[in-house]
Amino acid sequence: MTRRPPSAANASACRNEPTRRLILGAAAAPLIPGAALAADPAAEACHAWLARNAEHERLAVQWSRLEARLHREHNWMKLTRAQRRRFPESRELDDLDDRIEVLSDENGALLKALPAIVAASPFGICGKLTIAVLETKNDCEDVHRLIASILRDYRALHGDA
């Protein structure tokens, strides 16, 4: 049985809550490359979830910027549905919305299945914790900070898994 090193070994870990940029950056980065990914079904599933989540975030920002521009330049919210359809951007908004919905549905299904997938490496464990951090960021601040601290501590003790 191994013991946890004294707290000095973890001195480089940030004691403050991780920033959103740090969490999203970690989530967007691939967990592990190639063959090692296939050896751990949890890491593979988490990699797929995180990739879809990164695409979802990117598309949501793109959708938001486009809608804001349309609102600013054409008073978008006051236009009727028929008036909106005349703008080529209307189709783009619909396409973005459709893709965002597909990504959300796929990740929702995987999120429900993820607890049953056994992690076979530190990458699978860190992947699951990273998803838990992302999923709790808006729901429960205390649980979010706890999970983020577990992930931070685990990485400090076991390397950049």
Side-chain angles (χ1 to χ4, degrees):
M1 180 183 236
T2 60
R3 290 183 160 198
R4 183 177 179 153
S7 60
N10 200 11
S12 65
C14 176
R15 292 188 180 263
N16 299 327
E17 181 176 342
T19 64
R20 182 170 184 212
R21 181 182 299 168
L22 174 67
I23 292 169
L24 291 176
L31 289 174
I32 51 178
L37 185 63
D40 185 346
E44 186 176 358
C46 291
H47 179 76
W49 191 98
L50 292 167
R52 281 193 298 266
N53 187 67
E55 182 182 358
H56 181 281
E57 293 288 324
R58 183 184 57 77
L59 293 175
V61 168
Q62 185 179 346
W63 186 90
S64 179
R65 286 181 180 158
L66 179 57
E67 186 185 49
R69 184 178 60 79
L70 288 168
H71 181 69
R72 187 176 55 253
E73 294 175 5
H74 303 288
N75 205 7
W76 188 252
M77 300 310 287
K78 293 196 178 191
L79 298 177
T80 66
R81 189 174 281 173
Q83 289 171 321
R84 288 181 186 180
R85 274 191 235 124
R86 292 185 205 145
F87 288 87
E89 295 91 345
S90 179
R91 173 73 176 166
E92 185 178 352
L93 283 174
D94 289 342
D95 291 345
L96 288 168
D97 192 46
D98 291 345
R99 180 64 183 151
I100 288 169
E101 188 173 332
V102 166
L103 293 167
S104 183
D105 290 347
E106 289 175 352
N107 270 3
L110 183 53
L111 184 62
K112 287 181 181 177
L114 199 54
I117 301 172
V118 177
S121 72
F123 298 107
I125 294 168
C126 285
K128 285 182 165 186
L129 283 171
T130 300
I131 291 170
V133 166
L134 292 170
E135 284 294 306
T136 61
K137 72 181 175 190
N138 297 321
D139 296 335
C140 184
E141 188 175 323
D142 294 334
V143 172
H144 172 76
R145 280 197 311 261
L146 173 63
I147 297 169
S149 76
I150 294 167
L151 181 58
R152 179 195 68 225
D153 294 348
Y154 187 88
R155 284 184 170 151
L157 290 172
H158 300 286
D160 274 341

